[in-house]
């Protein structure tokens, strides 16, 4: 037997998906996360997949991948490393000053994020390069050694080195890194900014280096422990890790470049959305992941994940390819409360402990999950596939108490809680679509996460979306998506040229060098030669602009072809019109950055729908729009196949990892790949 295994470790549950390479069967399970030793939660979930933990042999695993939020959690909770920042002389305050823009223009209480490195922990080293990378003054190596002495004396965990114009010539940073590693050994993480982001803009590059230094020790320790624990159980293949870009790397690279894993966990769902769009024959999809605490939105556009070359995380800019995710505090555990006589929902969450009142762990404040229990939209006896039995009475008491405070009927309040949560989630989708000129009605809504399928149809109605897709194992969909991702390595090279100075042959030669480097990087990841490919793009702007757009190239040789400048300028104008609604085709363009991305493909794990099981439906009273509806409760495994008809709402579909709510008037079918497709009525 050989299995491909993916795991996604969340705050409450650990999800595991196994793909049997011989039979094509896909199995999923979950187990409570074990904070003391995260590997134990994985072992328990694997044991639930095969029904007997003693049957597991890790030597059967041919491919192993997982997503981690360790680095992101360290940032969110401000529990990262103690970092010393080493900068060029005269540039000590770049990180503290940051940018002058206000993220929230009309918020009188707005404050910039508190820097992760206080000014007292910033040191300078003399030495200077010009903007072309030519040396004006040699590096002061004694200043670097003084920084190393302070690191040892004061117990710093990491050093971030950000020297001026290192993106043009990294010689000074490389020498500083060499000295620091000689002085400090392997116990202290040394981060060089040009290795994190070889891009222009001093503050953004400094912020990226600091973020890697801040989160890096936590990620390195975690990955090292995971590799060791699984090796002890007999795992013989490399551990792969999901990157924020939607690609995979092995754990060895992730430990050297830990910043790449910052959004590792949530991005797995986006890559699952890409695979789902391919299987469904849809070009565009909105991916929504609703868990216990948060609601994540991402897009699939023209069959590809929506990836940006930079982003802001917790207010800090980061220069790296990253899937565009918009996250709000709306999940099954979001707490409902009264404020100024009005009903509010979230962003505070009940978490895993005590959790919603219906969990029976001592929680007494009503949550979105409690509201769904009161409305009858959850099967309390078979929640999470029977992993947990819900306390209906405790949920009713929590909702009734808040209803009494607001002078409302408990059922009316429960629907109000769900309506407010749905409106907030719909607005989150508008932020990523409508506010960027994207029409959500042209997309299918792919819903996953433990609570996503419960609210998806209601969210779709808010946005006028006509189709909701619920994949198999929606609660473990992020893990499934990791099995669908490719190995990915991103390379950049500064290339400042005005259009009149462009030498197409020289540009093509530089791209060929990047392609060779990308191929070598894929080789180091163990990707076979016949499964590698490289894509190229240029960052461009109109002369005088500060912002750029990334324009794809046909291949590395295209810049050397006749008419390239006119063709790429036209392509840029079209992209500018699409993004901003206008263009200036007659204006000269500039070239700023070369981007080359190497991809290594794996056989995809997507398979046909599983065999149908027989399980008699139950019937219960469920509240929709203030009315009681007799509603069928169906097992997902017992739904009619693609040739056997439709499921007419109202209906509740339950399975091991999630619950799907089909309101009255909607129709659901199961396609050949096992996706539950719901046609939404207004």
């Amino acid at each position: 037997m050989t299995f491909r295994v993916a795991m996604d470790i969340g705050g409450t549950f650990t999800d595991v998906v196994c793909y049997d390479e011989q039979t094509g069967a896909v199995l999923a399970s979950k187990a409570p996360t074990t904070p003391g030793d995260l590997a134990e939660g994985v072992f328990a979930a694997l044991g639930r997949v095969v029904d007997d933990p003693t049957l597991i042999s890790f030597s059967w695993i041919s491919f192993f991948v997982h997503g981690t939020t360790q680095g992101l959690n360290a940032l969110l909770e401000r529990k990262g490393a103690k970092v010393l920042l080493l900068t060029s002389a005269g540039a000590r305050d770049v990180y503290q000053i940051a940018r002058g823009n206000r993220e929230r223009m009309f918020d009188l209480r707005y404050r910039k994020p508190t820097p992760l490195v206080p000014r007292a922990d910033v040191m300078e080293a003399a030495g200077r390069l010009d903007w072309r990378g030519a040396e004006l003054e040699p590096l002061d190596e004694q200043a670097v050694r003084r920084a190393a002495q302070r690191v040892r004396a004061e117990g710093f965990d990491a050093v971030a080195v950000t020297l001026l114009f290192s993106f043009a010539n990294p010689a000074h940073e490389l020498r500083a890194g060499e000295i620091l590693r000689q002085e400090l050994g392997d116990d202290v993480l040394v981060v060089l900014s040009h290795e994190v982001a070889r891009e222009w803009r001093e503050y953004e590059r400094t912020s990226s280096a600091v973020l890697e230094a801040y989160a890096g020790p936590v990620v390195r320790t975690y990955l090292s422990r995971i590799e060791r624990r699984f090796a002890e159980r007999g795992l013989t293949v490399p551990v792969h890790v999901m990157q924020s870009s939607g690609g995979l790397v092995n754990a060895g690279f992730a430990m050297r470049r830990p910043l790449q894993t910052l959004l590792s966990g949530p991005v797995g769902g986006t890559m699952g959305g890409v695979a789902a769009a391919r299987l469904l024959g849809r070009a565009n999809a909105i991916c929504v992941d609703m868990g216990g605490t948060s609601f994540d939105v991402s897009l699939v556009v023209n069959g590809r994940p929506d990836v940006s070359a930079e982003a802001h995380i917790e207010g800090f800019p980061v220069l790296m390819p990253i899937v565009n995710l918009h996250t709000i505090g709306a999940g099954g555990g979001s707490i409902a409360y009264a404020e100024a006589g009005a009903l509010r929902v979230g962003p505070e969450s009940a978490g895993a402990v005590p959790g919603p009142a219906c969990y029976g762990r001592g929680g007494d404040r009503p949550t979105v999950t409690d509201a769904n229990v009161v409305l009858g939209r959850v099967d309390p006896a078979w929640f999470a596939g029977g992993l947990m039995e819900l306390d209906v009475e405790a949920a009713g008491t929590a909702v009734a108490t808040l209803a009494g405070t607001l002078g409302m009927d408990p059922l009316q309040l429960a629907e109000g809680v769900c309506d407010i949560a749905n409106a907030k989630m719909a607005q989150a989708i508008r932020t990523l679509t409508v506010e960027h000129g994207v029409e959500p009605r042209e997309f299918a809504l792919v819903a996953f996460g433990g609570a996503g399928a419960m609210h998806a149809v209601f969210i779709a109605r808010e946005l006028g979306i006509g189709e909701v897709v619920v994949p198999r194992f929606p609660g473990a969909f992020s893990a499934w998506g990791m099995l669908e991702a490719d190995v990915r390595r991103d390379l950049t090279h500064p290339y400042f040229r005005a259009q009149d100075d462009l030498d197409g042959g020289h540009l093509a030669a530089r791209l060929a060098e990047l392609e060779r480097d990308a191929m070598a990087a894929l080789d180091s990841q163990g990707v076979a030669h016949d499964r590698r490919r490289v894509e190229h793009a240029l960052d461009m702007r109109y002369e005088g602009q500060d912002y750029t757009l990334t324009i794809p190239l046909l291949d590395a040789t295209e810049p050397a072809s006749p008419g390239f400048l006119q063709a790429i300028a036209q392509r840029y104008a079209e992209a500018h019109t699409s993004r901003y609604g206008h263009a200036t085709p007659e204006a000269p363009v500039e070239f700023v950055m070369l981007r080359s991305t190497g991809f290594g493909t794996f056989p995809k794990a997507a398979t046909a729908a599983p065999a149908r099981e027989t399980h008699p439906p139950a019937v219960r009273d469920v509240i929709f729009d203030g009315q009681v509806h007799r509603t069928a409760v169906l097992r997902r495994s017992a739904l009619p196949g693609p040739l056997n008809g439709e499921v007419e709402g109202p209906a509740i579909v339950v399975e091991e990892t999630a619950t799907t709510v089909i309101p009255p008037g909607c129709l659901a079918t199961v396609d050949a790949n096992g996706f539950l497709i719901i046609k939404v009525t207004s």
Side-chain angles (χ1 to χ4, degrees):
M1 288 184 284
T2 55
F3 293 93
R4 299 180 66 202
V5 177
M7 69 176 187
D8 182 22
I9 302 176
T12 306
F13 290 105
T14 292
D15 303 321
V16 170
V17 172
C18 297
Y19 170 68
D20 189 328
E21 293 184 312
Q22 293 180 337
T23 67
V26 179
L27 303 172
S29 185
K30 59 173 57 202
T33 295
T34 50
D37 184 353
L38 295 174
E40 287 299 326
V42 179
F43 300 150
L46 283 169
R48 287 175 58 84
V49 168
V50 298
D51 295 326
D52 185 349
T54 62
L55 297 178
I56 299 173
S57 173
F58 283 79
S59 63
W60 296 343
I61 297 177
S62 62
F63 179 80
F64 187 82
V65 59
H66 87 296
T68 174
T69 56
Q70 292 296 302
L72 182 61
N73 291 343
L75 175 61
L76 296 176
E77 299 172 10
R78 293 298 189 270
K79 294 181 179 179
K82 183 180 181 182
V83 179
L84 179 80
L85 175 59
L86 181 64
T87 71
S88 296
R92 180 183 182 189
D93 292 315
V94 164
Y95 183 60
Q96 304 294 321
I97 294 172
R99 297 293 180 191
N101 59 306
R102 294 173 63 94
E103 295 293 327
R104 297 189 297 275
M105 186 64 70
F106 301 106
D107 185 354
L108 298 179
R109 296 182 176 85
Y110 172 74
R111 295 292 182 272
K112 290 182 181 179
T114 302
L116 300 175
V117 178
R119 188 174 186 274
D121 292 340
V122 183
M123 295 183 68
E124 299 180 353
R128 185 61 61 91
L129 306 172
D130 69 11
W131 67 276
R132 296 181 181 87
E135 186 176 81
L136 301 175
E137 178 185 348
L139 177 67
D140 182 354
E141 297 187 1
Q142 291 305 312
V144 179
R145 289 190 169 88
R146 286 194 295 272
Q149 292 171 1
R150 183 177 172 190
V151 168
R152 286 196 301 268
E154 299 184 22
F156 286 90
D157 303 301
V159 183
V161 182
T162 307
L163 304 181
L164 291 173
F165 303 112
S166 60
F167 62 86
N169 180 359
H172 281 188
E173 278 196 358
L174 289 170
R175 179 56 183 153
E178 183 182 2
I179 294 170
L180 290 168
R181 289 172 179 133
Q182 288 174 351
E183 296 279 341
L184 301 172
D186 296 331
D187 294 335
V188 176
L189 176 64
V190 176
V191 175
L192 308 182
S193 72
H194 78 276
E195 294 179 343
V196 178
R198 193 166 182 177
E199 301 190 30
W200 66 299
R201 287 180 295 173
E202 196 65 24
Y203 167 61
E204 285 77 8
R205 184 160 48 86
T206 300
S207 173
S208 301
V210 168
L211 279 168
E212 177 150 299
Y214 187 77
V218 174
V219 174
R220 287 206 307 178
T221 300
Y222 164 75
L223 290 177
S224 177
R225 183 184 302 122
I226 285 288
E227 278 198 312
R228 185 180 66 253
R229 294 286 280 117
F230 280 89
E232 292 170 354
R233 292 291 187 106
L235 184 70
T236 58
V237 296
V239 173
H240 284 81
V241 183
M242 176 64 72
Q243 299 180 97
S244 302
S245 63
L248 306 177
V249 290
N250 62 36
F253 177 83
M255 283 189 274
R256 296 192 301 274
R257 294 273 73 84
L259 184 65
Q260 302 286 339
T261 70
L262 211 55
L263 296 180
S264 172
V267 166
T270 307
M271 300 315 296
V274 172
R278 182 187 73 248
L279 293 169
L280 291 164
R282 311 286 197 275
N284 302 319
I286 298 171
C287 304
V288 295
D289 181 357
M290 183 180 179
T293 302
S294 63
F295 177 78
D296 300 323
V297 185
S298 58
L299 301 181
V300 177
V301 181
N302 295 324
R304 300 169 70 95
D306 181 26
V307 178
S308 291
E310 60 182 284
H312 281 75
I313 300 176
E314 286 294 286
F316 300 108
V318 55
L319 297 175
M320 69 175 180
I322 189 168
V323 170
N324 285 322
L325 279 166
H326 183 60
T327 302
I328 63 170
S334 294
I335 295 172
Y337 59 99
E339 182 179 77
L343 175 62
R344 309 288 187 189
V345 180
E348 183 184 357
S349 173
V353 179
C358 61
Y359 280 14
R361 296 173 178 168
D364 58 4
R365 303 176 68 184
T367 66
V368 174
T369 297
D370 293 313
N372 279 298
V373 169
V374 169
L375 295 171
R377 299 176 184 177
V378 179
D379 185 350
W382 211 67
F383 186 71
L387 188 63
M388 180 184 297
E389 185 170 348
L390 301 182
D391 188 335
V392 177
E393 184 178 347
T397 300
V399 169
T401 300
L402 179 59
T405 301
L406 293 169
M408 298 175 65
D409 176 78
L411 293 178
Q412 181 187 22
L413 179 105
E415 277 207 285
V417 169
C418 292
D419 289 344
I420 290 172
N422 293 334
K424 291 176 67 174
M425 291 184 283
Q427 184 56 41
I429 294 173
R430 292 188 186 98
T431 299
L432 211 58
T433 55
V434 176
E435 293 183 13
H436 292 273
V438 175
E439 174 53 72
R441 287 176 292 187
E442 297 175 358
F443 288 65
L445 187 70
V446 180
F448 50 95
M454 200 180 303
H455 291 260
V457 173
F458 303 98
I459 297 170
R461 281 176 170 171
E462 289 257 354
L463 298 166
I465 295 173
E467 183 177 78
V468 168
V469 177
V470 182
R472 292 175 60 197
F473 318 120
F477 188 66
S478 289
W480 181 80
M482 294 173 195
L483 291 180
E484 294 293 313
D486 296 330
V487 170
R488 175 170 174 153
R489 288 293 301 275
D490 293 276
L491 303 177
T492 60
H493 186 80
Y495 198 81
F496 295 94
R497 297 288 191 282
Q499 71 174 38
D500 293 339
D501 299 328
L502 182 68
D503 181 338
H506 183 267
L507 173 54
R510 286 298 178 91
L511 290 170
E513 291 177 9
L514 286 175
E515 182 161 330
R516 287 193 294 271
D517 292 343
M519 286 292 191
L522 293 175
D523 184 63
S524 70
Q525 296 288 313
V527 179
H529 190 274
D530 60 349
R531 293 192 284 107
R532 305 177 200 166
R533 77 179 193 278
V534 180
E535 297 179 359
H536 303 279
L538 296 172
D539 281 4
M540 297 175 60
R541 63 189 180 190
Y542 285 127
E543 192 175 82
Q545 283 182 331
D546 178 61
Y547 58 86
T548 63
L549 292 175
T550 301
I551 309 301
L553 296 173
L554 300 179
D555 55 39
T557 65
E558 185 188 2
S561 62
F564 167 73
L565 186 58
Q566 292 76 17
I568 199 69
Q570 176 62 29
R571 219 176 294 167
Y572 176 75
E574 292 170 357
H576 201 281
T577 300
S578 176
R579 178 66 180 83
Y580 298 107
H582 66 90
T584 313
E586 67 278 6
V589 296
E590 295 178 331
F591 302 88
V592 178
M593 186 74 61
L594 310 184
R595 300 187 183 277
S596 297
T597 303
F599 294 94
T601 60
F602 290 107
K604 303 307 181 186
T607 59
R612 184 185 174 201
E613 299 178 0
T614 301
H615 195 282
V619 179
R620 61 149 31 101
D621 289 339
V622 181
I623 307 299
F624 293 100
D625 297 322
Q627 302 296 318
V628 177
H629 292 260
R630 294 294 288 169
T631 301
V633 180
L634 310 167
R635 292 284 179 94
R636 176 86 179 247
S637 58
L639 292 179
L643 302 177
N644 299 94
E646 300 172 320
V647 174
E648 185 175 353
I652 306 295
V653 179
V654 297
E655 56 186 301
E656 288 82 355
T657 63
T659 297
T660 301
V661 176
I662 305 173
C666 296
L667 294 175
T669 57
V670 178
D671 78 351
N673 293 297
F675 293 110
L676 182 61
I677 301 175
I678 305 171
K679 298 299 181 183
V680 180
T681 58
S682 58

